Structures are given as structure tokens and as C-alpha cells.
Amino acid sequence: MRTNNDKNVQRVIEAGMALVVIGVGLNALVTWTLGAFDAASVLLALYVGFWAYVLGTMALIVLSIWLVFMRKELVRPCMPLP
């Protein structure tokens, strides 16, 4: 059975990956359609895509570091009893 903590971690991973995909998708869309839209739309798409990518990447990095530290805290070597 999965705990609430596992579900929360999974949600953060999904949100981070969604932000990364949105960021890459918006940047690819602007690159493919460069010149087809007005300059304001292009700049807005690049701006939103950049920040979506940055926030998604940072969420994944912070979550990875947090999981490494939590794993080290949970997995402790067996100490013999005196």
C-alpha cells in the first residue's frame, strides 16, 4: 500500500515533468513558426516556455536531492546490540 508521502512525491514529479514538457513544447513551437505570428506572441511564448522549463527543472532537481537525503536518513546500518 502506498503512503501519502509517496503520492505527494509522485505528484511533484509529474508536475515538474509537465512543466519541462510545456517549456520545451513552447520553445519548439516558436522555433517552428518563427515569423508566422506577431512579435508579442513570440516573445510571450518564449518567456512562458523558458520559465516553465526552469521551474520544472528546479522542482525535479530539488526533489531528487531531497529524496537522496531522505533515503540516507531512512537506511541506517545495523548496529549490533551490546
Side-chain angles (χ1 to χ4, degrees):
M1 181 173 228
R2 299 174 63 185
T3 64
N4 283 338
N5 194 25
D6 290 340
K7 290 179 184 177
N8 291 337
V9 169
Q10 183 179 2
R11 286 183 189 136
V12 171
I13 290 172
E14 290 171 354
M17 288 303 298
L19 285 172
V20 170
V21 169
I22 289 170
V24 171
L26 282 173
N27 286 326
L29 176 72
V30 168
T31 302
W32 291 333
T33 61
L34 195 60
F37 299 112
D38 60 337
S41 298
V42 170
L43 290 176
L44 180 63
L46 284 174
Y47 183 76
V48 170
F50 170 75
W51 282 110
Y53 181 76
V54 168
L55 290 174
T57 304
M58 291 304 295
L60 292 175
I61 289 172
V62 169
L63 181 67
S64 299
I65 292 170
W66 181 75
L67 286 175
V68 167
F69 285 129
M70 289 303 292
R71 177 79 41 133
K72 284 184 180 179
E73 184 178 302
L74 292 176
V75 179
R76 295 182 183 158
C78 291
M79 298 190 59
L81 296 173

